[in-house]
Amino acid sequence: MSDRSTDTPVTDGLAVTVENVAERQELRRLADETAADAQAYLDALTEVAAGSAPDTAIPVLLLALSQTSVAGARLGAISDVVPSERFEPDAGPDPDVDPVRQNLANLFHGLDDYADVVDPLTNHEVVRASLVDDLADVATELAHGLKHYRAGRIDEALWWWQYSYLSTWGVRATSALRVLQTVLAHLRLDADPDTVADAEFEALHVS
């Protein structure tokens, strides 16, 4: 990781440069809430990937992603978290999400690919994206932060969750959420089969 800050003492997993006690408590509460939301998302994703209840897979993921996005929005709304160490400590190997990814690929066969915009502000290029990859990437980033959190490195966990939300998983969660909502809308509103077929064809044949 890049050089981020000068070394500072830590109290309760938070840099003591956060002098205001109320602010330190608020950051700790934010970390606890984010950790709970991250674990809930990982549990939901694992449950869906197991394939035990395919009929509820989309609603379950829709709820889990929505809650995770709220957690990310809270992180994005606060000032930049400055960790106590200049370089990110080694958190050890991240959990292997490939089995979950493969099971999700089987579950969402035919619905995985969708059309996405690289950047709605600076790059309007339309590219092919993957719902399964989005879901798995969000899980990877959240799980990495959880390792820091459970090791007592609270400021490091907050830094990672905030940084990765703004750089990667926030965008992927938002895109996946829209895809799931669109699928659910088609199912619930009983859209014209020809219209749905045309939309799916266009999404799967993005040049």
Side-chain angles (χ1 to χ4, degrees):
M1 299 292 291
S2 60
D3 191 343
R4 304 172 303 183
S5 67
T6 56
D7 292 342
T8 53
V10 176
T11 300
D12 295 331
L14 290 168
V16 296
T17 51
V18 182
E19 296 177 357
N20 186 295
V21 174
E23 182 180 352
R24 211 158 53 225
Q25 291 175 339
E26 182 63 27
L27 286 175
R28 180 57 196 245
R29 182 163 59 251
L30 177 61
D32 293 343
E33 292 174 353
T34 304
D37 289 336
Q39 188 59 59
Y41 175 79
L42 295 173
D43 291 344
L45 195 67
T46 301
E47 176 186 345
V48 168
S52 58
D55 292 341
T56 62
I58 292 175
V60 167
L61 289 177
L62 190 67
L63 287 170
L65 266 179
S66 296
Q67 186 59 46
T68 302
S69 296
V70 171
R74 290 197 299 261
L75 292 165
I78 66 173
S79 302
D80 290 347
V81 176
V82 179
S84 57
E85 300 185 32
R86 294 180 62 183
F87 300 95
E88 182 187 2
D90 184 7
D94 288 327
D96 183 10
V97 300
D98 283 343
V100 171
R101 189 191 303 269
Q102 184 57 54
N103 288 341
L104 289 172
N106 295 333
L107 184 65
F108 288 110
H109 179 70
L111 291 174
D112 185 30
D113 289 348
Y114 68 92
D116 195 18
V117 175
V118 175
D119 188 313
L121 294 179
T122 64
N123 188 342
H124 297 170
E125 179 185 359
V126 178
V127 297
R128 177 177 295 177
S130 164
L131 173 62
V132 169
D133 285 346
D134 289 346
L135 296 171
D137 288 347
V138 172
T140 298
E141 304 289 11
L142 294 177
H144 185 83
L146 272 175
K147 291 179 71 67
H148 285 307
Y149 174 84
R150 288 170 178 162
R153 296 186 291 268
I154 305 304
D155 61 344
E156 195 68 45
L158 281 172
W159 175 85
W160 177 262
W161 282 323
Q162 184 185 59
Y163 168 78
S164 59
Y165 169 75
L166 295 172
S167 62
T168 53
W169 73 263
V171 175
R172 300 278 45 94
T174 301
S175 297
L177 191 62
R178 183 177 184 185
V179 173
L180 290 170
Q181 191 276 335
T182 300
V183 172
L184 190 62
H186 284 311
L187 293 173
R188 295 288 178 84
L189 300 178
D190 194 22
D192 177 70
D194 292 336
T195 302
V196 175
D198 289 343
E200 290 177 347
F201 180 87
E202 291 178 4
L204 295 172
H205 295 79
V206 177
S207 59

